[in-house]
């Protein structure tokens, strides 16, 4: 029981909640993609036809799973309230709730390790969590307020303003929190806007339509129009959010000196690609949008590419360093660089990396080595040499938030070893 309530139990909780988040997210985003596709694909009935007289604004015939389907959309509402009416809401609520639970399990319960980078900002755990939660609430309030202004009548302008605000939030967060925490909170902020649209605009608007019909009154079409606008917003938000969900696996993005700009460019590419599909569903093929998106992604890849490996002439020495907390570098770091050997690198790795990357991690919150990468032995260090070089020397995002105070001299030692001896 003690094991289940320790780091091992937390990892299982992490796995199960993450799984739930993925399942519900697929259901929500799948519904969003489907209904935007449906709205763009339906065709109006012939004037004077029975469907037109019923108030149907469009219909579509489709075949799937061995059957034929004939969805129809009414201009405002049918003449009579259907007895069985499905509401699409729990997918959104469950996705946000499970995502917020993930924030607590992964980030807020271990804020000192997962949210704070002393090289970025010297925060306490409470301050870091407050920044995270404040970002979610503040993002929704600003977005919702803008949607209620005259900008709502100018979708392109509103979209541009929102993009600038989201990028501004990314800039502030990447200069306040660790790279991973900054990225994930930009995604959580957008996800909060999306679920806020469902909870505070789309579902209440639909309830007003249903309530009016139940009373025998004519529903006001304004509620349907507002819900549709927010639904389209959610559709464009999806690809940036999905990118951010997987970004923690790709340190070259969030560890870059201009990580906020990297995120902005990749999000813009996602919006362009999503716009292409939305237009295509409406019968307008505009290849310029996906081409622009791909060019933007290629440009980012080139711009943030690390310097190519090259043979280096080993300097006479690699200076030993002592950080501000008086943590001395291992003696190996003071050895001649020409003698940078696997054993000297192992000393650095043991002191700086194996608190997490070990068969028996000692770092609080870790029951197993992240990514399954264990560095207890020289053989394991050699096996993962390229990863160590990429993360500790090129990206410099490991150790996580530099919790173990790896020095520049130690990074140089690893780099020299890898470039001259590892292969």
């Amino acid at each position: 029981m003690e094991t289940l309530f320790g780091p091992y139990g937390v990892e299982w909780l992490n796995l199960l909640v993450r799984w739930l988040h993925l399942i519900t997210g697929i259901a929500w985003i799948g519904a969003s993609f489907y209904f935007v596709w449906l709205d763009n694909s339906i065709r109006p009935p012939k004037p004077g036809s029975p469907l037109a007289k019923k108030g149907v604004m469009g219909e579509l015939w489709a075949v799937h799973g061995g059957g034929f389907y004939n969805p129809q959309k009414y201009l405002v509402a049918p003449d009579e309230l259907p007895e069985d009416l499905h509401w699409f809401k729990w997918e959104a609520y469950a996705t946000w709730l499970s995502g917020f639970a993930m924030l607590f399990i992964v980030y807020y319960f271990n804020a000192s390790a997962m949210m704070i980078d002393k090289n970025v900002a010297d925060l306490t755990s409470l301050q870091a969590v407050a920044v995270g939660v404040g970002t979610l609430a503040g993002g929704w309030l600003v977005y919702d307020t803008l949607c209620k202004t005259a900008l709502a009548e100018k979708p392109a302008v509103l979209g541009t303003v929102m993009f600038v605000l989201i990028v501004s939030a990314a800039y502030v967060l990447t200069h306040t929190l660790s790279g991973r925490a900054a990225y994930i909170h930009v995604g959580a902020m957008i996800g909060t806007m999306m679920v806020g649209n469902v909870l505070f605009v789309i579902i209440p608007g639909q309830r007003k339509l249903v309530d009016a019909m139940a009373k025998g009154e004519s529903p006001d079409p304004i509620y349907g129009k507002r819900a549709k606008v927010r639904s389209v917003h959610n559709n464009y938000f999806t690809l940036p959010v999905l990118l951010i969900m997987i970004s923690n696996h790709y340190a070259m993005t969030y560890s870059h000196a201009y990580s906020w700009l990297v995120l902005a460019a990749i999000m813009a590419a996602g919006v362009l690609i999503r716009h292409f599909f939305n237009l295509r569903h409406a019968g307008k093929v505009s290849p310029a949008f996906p081409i622009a998106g791909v060019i933007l992604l290629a440009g980012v890849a080139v711009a943030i590419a690390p310097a190519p490996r090259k043979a280096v002439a080993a300097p006479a020495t690699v200076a030993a360093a002592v950080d501000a907390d008086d943590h001395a570098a291992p003696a190996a770091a003071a050895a001649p660089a020409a003698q940078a050997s696997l054993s000297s690198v192992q000393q650095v790795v043991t002191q700086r990396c194996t608190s997490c990357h070990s068969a028996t991690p000692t770092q609080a919150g870790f029951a197993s080595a992240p990514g399954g990468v264990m560095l207890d032995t020289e053989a394991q260090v050699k096996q993962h040499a390229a990863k160590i070089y990429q993360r500790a020397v090129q990206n410099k995002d490991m150790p996580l938030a530099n919790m173990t105070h790896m020095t520049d001299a130690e990074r140089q030692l690893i780099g020299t070893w890898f470039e001259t001896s590892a292969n």
Side-chain angles (χ1 to χ4, degrees):
M1 291 301 294
E2 182 179 350
T3 300
L4 289 177
F5 285 101
Y8 175 75
V10 172
E11 282 212 0
W12 264 102
L13 184 62
N14 186 339
L15 169 63
L16 296 176
V17 175
R18 191 182 297 269
W19 192 12
L20 173 64
H21 186 55
L22 181 63
I23 292 168
T24 55
I26 289 172
W28 183 16
I29 292 173
S32 170
F33 280 10
Y34 172 74
F35 278 104
V36 170
W37 169 83
L38 185 61
D39 274 341
N40 289 330
S41 300
I42 57 175
R43 299 294 179 260
K46 295 180 180 179
S49 67
L51 288 180
K53 292 178 180 178
K54 286 170 55 179
V56 172
M57 68 172 293
E59 67 165 342
L60 172 77
W61 280 94
V63 60
H64 180 75
F68 289 90
Y69 295 80
N70 181 214
Q72 301 171 355
K73 181 175 181 178
Y74 285 77
L75 186 60
V76 179
D79 293 334
E80 296 181 5
L81 185 65
E83 187 172 330
D84 293 319
L85 186 63
H86 183 79
W87 296 74
F88 288 86
K89 55 182 179 179
W90 292 111
E91 301 91 340
Y93 300 160
T95 299
W96 189 87
L97 289 171
S98 58
F100 194 64
M102 285 292 300
L103 282 179
F104 266 96
I105 295 168
V106 178
Y107 290 91
Y108 298 165
F109 284 164
N110 197 15
S112 61
M114 300 301 296
M115 297 186 70
I116 299 171
D117 185 342
K118 297 294 186 181
N119 294 320
V120 176
D122 190 6
L123 303 177
T124 66
S125 294
L126 185 60
Q127 288 171 333
V129 172
V131 169
V133 174
T135 298
L136 309 191
W140 161 253
L141 292 173
V142 172
Y143 164 70
D144 185 54
T145 299
L146 288 173
C147 287
K148 294 175 181 177
T149 67
L151 289 176
E153 304 299 324
K154 302 174 181 178
V157 176
L158 176 59
T160 302
V161 170
M162 280 309 306
F163 182 75
V164 170
L165 289 174
I166 291 171
V167 172
S168 298
Y171 177 85
V172 172
L173 287 172
T174 55
H175 288 76
T176 308
L177 305 177
S178 68
R180 286 178 62 174
Y183 266 40
I184 206 68
H185 278 86
V186 173
M189 179 184 71
I190 299 173
T192 300
M193 295 175 188
M194 294 172 68
V195 80
N197 283 337
V198 176
L199 179 62
F200 298 115
V201 180
I202 297 174
I203 294 301
Q206 291 173 174
R207 288 194 184 281
K208 285 180 168 47
L209 295 175
V210 171
D211 290 345
M213 292 185 66
K215 297 175 183 177
E217 302 172 354
S218 296
D220 189 338
I222 188 61
Y223 299 114
K225 291 179 180 178
R226 289 173 181 168
K228 175 60 181 174
V229 168
R230 298 297 184 102
S231 180
V232 171
H233 289 181
N234 281 2
N235 183 262
Y236 281 99
F237 283 148
T238 50
L239 294 190
V241 168
L242 288 173
L243 176 278
I244 292 169
M245 284 176 64
I246 63 174
S247 66
N248 65 335
H249 297 288
Y250 304 97
M252 72 255 188
T253 58
Y254 63 76
S255 65
H256 194 270
Y258 293 96
S259 57
W260 62 275
L261 195 55
V262 172
L263 181 59
I266 298 177
M267 288 194 299
V271 170
L272 290 170
I273 293 168
R274 185 67 239 164
H275 189 57
F276 164 77
F277 282 103
N278 287 342
L279 290 177
R280 184 175 180 275
H281 299 328
K284 303 174 184 177
V285 179
S286 301
F289 289 105
I291 291 173
V294 170
I295 291 175
L296 194 52
L297 291 173
V300 171
V302 171
I304 69 174
R309 285 181 56 192
K310 58 183 179 180
V312 295
T317 60
V318 179
V322 178
D323 62 35
D325 291 326
D326 209 25
H327 293 270
Q339 298 175 12
S341 62
L342 178 57
S343 61
S344 63
V345 170
Q346 176 67 56
Q347 292 181 46
V348 175
V349 169
T350 298
Q351 181 170 347
R352 306 305 189 192
C353 307
T354 54
S355 57
C356 297
H357 289 283
S358 170
T360 55
T362 57
Q363 174 63 40
F366 290 84
S368 60
V373 176
M374 291 177 281
L375 304 174
D376 296 304
T377 67
E378 289 186 2
Q380 290 171 332
V381 170
K382 189 170 183 179
Q383 175 188 354
H384 298 292
K387 284 185 178 179
I388 296 171
Y389 178 75
Q390 180 189 24
R391 304 298 294 273
V393 180
Q394 291 183 317
N395 293 339
K396 295 184 179 180
D397 68 302
M398 285 292 165
L400 190 64
N402 205 19
M403 291 186 297
T404 56
H405 309 281
M406 180 179 283
T407 66
D408 289 340
E410 290 165 350
R411 295 184 194 276
Q412 186 179 349
L413 174 70
I414 294 171
T416 300
W417 168 73
F418 182 80
E419 293 168 356
T420 60
S421 307
N423 298 321

